[in-house]
Amino acid sequence: MRGRVLVARLDDAGDVLLAGPAVRAVRTLAREVVFLAGPRGRAAAELLPGVDRVVTWHAPWIDHTPPPVTEERVADLVGRVRGVDEAVILTSFHQSALPLALLLRLAGVGRITAISNDYPGSLLDVRHRVDEDVDVPEAERMLAVARAAGFELPDGDDGGLAVRRPLPDIGAFAGDGSYVVVHPGTSAPARTWPAERHRQTVRELTEDGHRVVVTGTERDLTAYVAGGDAADLGGRTTLAELAAVIEGAGVLVTGNTGPAHLAAAVGTPVVSLFAPVVPAARWAPYGVPAVLLGDQDAPCRGTRARLCPVPGHPCLSQVTSEQVVKAVRELTQ
């Protein structure tokens, strides 16, 4: 056994869910797995099989609304991760592992593995290098870091996404029978399909014979999208309950956001309204049937923009409700 191992992924829920295969690999040899998450990733970390304990810390170099760097905040993290024997730092292709590696060294962590194309000096023990010009699915990219640290998936594990079982009973939310989930919100406006298109899609899905459930945290948005045609669960579910609602669905309709990865973790097909601000090859729903809609060659391609840099948001605004209904039909037949 390799003692207490910390796995870090400090950004959003979807990123954390994609770290699941790497966590399960670490679990094979670790006496205890501690997951270091950002505040928006904590609930997802608590859903990952193999995680024993979650530590939450708001990283100034990763979060979209970064907090100030203070001696008190740094000391807080260093104090909370003391006693960790080893760390596997998971980052996206545009993030650096070195600030966290420095803080983990201050906490006395003896062995640290991460991707770094910058010279890490004594901050890393295992420096994993990758060609960042090659698009690799994010789940596989992170699993490769765990493997570089000497951790392999257990026999019989296919490397797919997964959530901890059992999930909550959601009969009170979803009712009986088949349904389609529409999740209109995203964490960035550049990845969002217009609300009126979602509303029209809900209406047309209902006319096509589907029962529709609308989910999300923005209650005004979900109420508008549901209209009088769908069940509105806006603001009513925990992440675990949302996973159960999505698991019971025939299809999920959503953008490039956490619930798409939640669907992958529970085996539900996805109609993915995908803006190409990040590569679909890295971030599309992993390991489940999916129909990708959106112009992947639009001018915003690869910009990582949170606000659409192109007037009219053409990559997604050109997607029609008819295309979405057709894609749902394809995935449910």
Side-chain angles (χ1 to χ4, degrees):
M1 299 296 283
R2 298 264 287 268
R4 179 177 290 123
V5 182
L6 181 140
V7 178
R9 182 78 202 216
L10 285 163
D11 29 18
D12 294 342
D15 308 295
V16 171
L17 290 167
L18 287 163
V23 167
R24 299 197 305 274
V26 170
R27 172 80 273 172
T28 59
L29 293 177
R31 173 172 53 84
E32 180 185 7
V33 175
V34 179
F35 198 101
L36 179 62
R40 285 195 288 268
R42 180 183 181 93
E46 291 172 341
L47 277 179
L48 292 182
V51 171
D52 297 298
R53 178 163 57 95
V54 179
V55 174
T56 309
W57 194 68
H58 200 170
W61 61 90
I62 287 183
D63 202 271
H64 306 307
T65 54
V69 179
T70 65
E71 184 177 352
E72 292 76 17
R73 295 193 67 258
V74 168
D76 173 59
L77 175 65
V78 169
R80 286 198 286 153
V81 298
R82 286 198 188 279
V84 166
D85 301 296
E86 183 174 348
V88 177
I89 302 175
L90 304 175
T91 50
S92 188
F93 70 99
H94 57 274
Q95 298 169 344
S96 172
L98 299 185
L100 180 57
L102 174 60
L103 299 187
L104 294 177
R105 285 293 193 225
L106 294 176
V109 177
R111 186 173 189 264
I112 303 176
T113 300
I115 292 173
S116 184
N117 290 330
D118 295 324
Y119 173 62
S122 60
L123 295 180
L124 299 180
D125 299 284
V126 180
R127 177 190 185 188
H128 183 55
R129 297 200 206 192
V130 298
D131 182 351
E132 298 293 18
D133 292 328
V134 178
D135 289 329
V136 175
E138 192 71 2
E140 295 177 16
R141 186 177 187 274
M142 289 190 277
L143 180 57
V145 180
R147 284 177 169 146
F151 300 102
E152 290 285 348
L153 286 169
D155 291 342
D157 191 321
D158 65 1
L161 306 192
V163 291
R164 195 183 295 270
R165 304 290 180 162
L167 290 172
D169 180 357
I170 46 85
F173 295 122
D176 298 322
S178 62
Y179 56 91
V180 173
V181 171
V182 173
H183 188 96
T186 68
S187 60
R191 303 180 186 186
T192 304
W193 198 43
E196 59 270 20
R197 296 283 176 86
H198 277 105
R199 182 182 174 104
Q200 185 177 356
T201 296
V202 166
R203 185 180 307 116
E204 291 178 13
L205 284 169
T206 302
E207 291 169 355
D208 204 44
H210 298 282
R211 187 162 63 93
V212 182
V213 174
V214 179
T215 61
T217 58
E218 304 162 76
R219 295 188 180 189
D220 289 345
L221 174 62
T222 61
Y224 173 77
V225 169
D229 298 300
D232 176 15
L233 299 187
R236 294 177 55 193
T237 60
T238 65
L239 192 65
E241 289 167 339
L242 178 60
V245 170
I246 292 173
E247 183 177 44
V251 176
L252 169 69
V253 177
T254 193
N256 177 22
T257 190
H261 305 302
L262 206 55
V266 297
T268 297
V270 181
V271 176
S272 177
L273 296 154
F274 200 99
V277 290
V278 294
R282 295 177 185 261
W283 297 100
Y286 184 70
V288 292
V291 175
L292 201 70
L293 299 177
D295 181 2
Q296 300 307 300
D297 294 313
C300 64
R301 180 179 179 179
T303 61
R304 304 204 314 269
R306 293 185 58 75
L307 296 173
C308 182
V310 183
H313 197 24
C315 69
L316 286 182
S317 64
Q318 294 177 10
V319 177
T320 66
S321 56
E322 289 85 0
Q323 287 175 291
V324 176
V325 173
K326 180 175 180 287
V328 169
R329 226 179 265 143
E330 290 174 6
L331 290 170
T332 53
Q333 288 176 350

